[in-house]
């Protein structure tokens, strides 16, 4: 059996930390994990949660009806605490406008490298997953929005690549985010930061062909050769005529 751990002290480096409404959900999650490891009851978990925050927050939390109630119910306390901080509601962490703003921003600056593609995919996944999990955006809506984030020359090449690799795809249906990501990653192969590097190689000098010089011909030698050929042909012709003139013998 695992021995329960002790809750970390308030100022210990491993203690849950809360300093902004946007971090409230993570803070409460850290408290819950630590309380589980320490085998705390719901009431003790609530008490420890109030110890890890600043004095003004602690005074506010301990004044909540959910804290004063007996017995204490952690989920009621958690809901009441979240309601105190606008923007801390997990169901409203992202809005459709956040996804639209991300896509518009990415469209204005075309993706030029696999690094930028990865950053866009992570940011889009974080927002779209939240919207889908809370039924605030459908999967086709997110798929169409994701593709709109690509622009410039990459978008044209991406459309062509998707048509080639998805032959059976229906025109009215959006491409899946996985298919778009794979196609974009293929087109951006070999890129890292998107910045072009100046070539360090020396320019190749154009090949210069040697000037073709006409060969000088010795006319005397040429005439001599022609005369020899002519004499040989005449001799062969004479021999042929002589053979024809010989009488036929049986």
């Amino acid at each position: 059996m695992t021995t329960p751990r002790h809750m970390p002290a308030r100022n210990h480096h491993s203690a849950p930390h809360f300093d902004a409404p946007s971090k409230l959900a993570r803070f409460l999650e850290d408290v819950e994990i630590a309380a589980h490891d320490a085998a705390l009851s719901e009431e003790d978990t609530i008490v420890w949660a109030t110890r890890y925050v600043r004095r003004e927050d602690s005074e506010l939390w301990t004044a909540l009806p959910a804290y004063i109630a007996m017995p204490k119910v952690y989920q009621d306390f958690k809901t009441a605490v979240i309601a105190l901080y606008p923007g801390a509601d997990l169901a409203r962490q992202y809005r459709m406008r956040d996804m639209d703003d991300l896509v518009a921003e990415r469209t204005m600056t075309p993706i030029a490298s696999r690094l930028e593609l990865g950053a866009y995919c992570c940011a889009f996944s974080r927002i779209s997953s939240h919207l889908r999990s809370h039924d605030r955006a459908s999967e086709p809506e997110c798929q169409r929005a994701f593709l709109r984030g690509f622009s410039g020359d990459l978008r044209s090449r991406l459309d062509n690549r998707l048509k080639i690799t998805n032959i059976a795809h229906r025109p009215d249906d959006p491409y899946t985010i996985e298919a778009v990501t794979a196609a974009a990653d293929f087109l951006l192969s070999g890129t890292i930061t998107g910045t072009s590097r100046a070539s360090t190689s020396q320019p190749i000098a154009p090949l210069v062909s040697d000037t073709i010089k006409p060969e000088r011909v010795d006319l005397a030698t040429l005439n001599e050769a022609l005369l020899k050929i002519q004499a040989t042909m005449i001799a062969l012709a004479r021999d042929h005529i002589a053979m024809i003139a010989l009488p036929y013998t049986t």
Side-chain angles (χ1 to χ4, degrees):
M1 181 176 179
T2 304
T3 303
R5 300 179 181 178
H6 295 289
M7 293 293 285
R10 180 185 305 162
N11 296 323
H12 194 267
H13 66 85
S14 64
H17 183 68
F18 170 66
D19 57 7
S22 60
K23 299 179 181 179
L24 179 58
R26 177 60 61 86
F27 166 77
L28 293 174
E29 181 181 351
D30 291 342
V31 171
E32 293 165 9
I33 293 174
H36 177 270
D37 292 341
L40 297 186
S41 64
E42 290 193 37
E43 181 174 351
D44 289 338
T45 301
I46 293 173
V47 172
W48 274 99
T50 62
R51 291 180 180 177
Y52 288 129
V53 297
R54 296 170 298 185
R55 175 175 296 181
E56 53 268 30
D57 290 312
S58 179
E59 292 175 352
L60 180 62
W61 293 11
T62 55
L64 291 171
Y67 181 88
I68 300 173
M70 295 299 293
K72 293 179 173 59
V73 179
Y74 177 77
Q75 188 58 47
D76 294 343
F77 172 78
K78 179 179 180 179
T79 301
V81 168
I82 292 176
L84 295 174
Y85 302 90
D89 185 1
L90 296 181
R92 297 290 173 179
Q93 186 175 2
Y94 293 109
R95 302 167 298 171
M96 284 292 295
R97 181 176 178 180
D98 295 319
M99 184 169 68
D100 293 338
D101 289 345
L102 172 64
V103 171
E105 180 182 357
R106 190 67 271 182
T107 302
M108 294 296 294
T109 308
I111 296 173
S113 69
R114 300 178 76 181
L115 185 63
E116 293 179 358
L117 173 64
Y120 174 58
C121 290
C122 290
F124 189 90
S125 178
R126 183 173 61 253
I127 296 174
S128 62
S129 297
H130 173 83
L131 295 175
R132 289 201 309 270
S133 64
H134 291 87
D135 297 325
R136 301 178 63 195
S138 66
E139 186 173 4
E141 284 180 309
C142 294
Q143 291 171 340
R144 291 188 175 91
F146 182 72
L147 183 58
R148 288 199 303 270
F150 297 87
S151 60
D153 176 66
L154 177 61
R155 176 58 189 270
S156 301
R157 296 165 57 206
L158 183 59
D159 289 338
N160 292 333
R161 177 70 182 174
L162 288 170
K163 291 177 182 177
I164 294 173
T165 56
N166 298 269
I167 300 177
H169 180 264
R170 296 179 180 274
D172 294 337
D173 296 335
Y175 289 102
T176 65
I177 293 178
E178 293 76 14
V180 175
T181 302
D185 183 70
F186 175 84
L187 295 173
L188 293 170
S189 297
T191 63
I192 300 177
T193 61
T195 57
S196 60
R197 299 180 180 178
S199 176
T200 57
S201 59
Q202 296 295 330
I204 301 175
L207 297 176
V208 180
S209 59
D210 295 333
T211 303
I212 301 176
K213 299 180 180 180
E215 185 178 355
R216 298 181 63 181
V217 179
D218 189 346
L219 295 179
T221 303
L222 179 60
N223 288 332
E224 183 179 357
L226 291 174
L227 290 174
K228 288 182 179 181
I229 294 173
Q230 185 179 10
T232 302
M233 293 180 67
I234 292 173
L236 290 173
R238 287 176 179 174
D239 292 340
H240 180 68
I241 293 172
M243 291 179 64
I244 294 175
L246 290 175
Y248 177 77
T249 59
T250 58

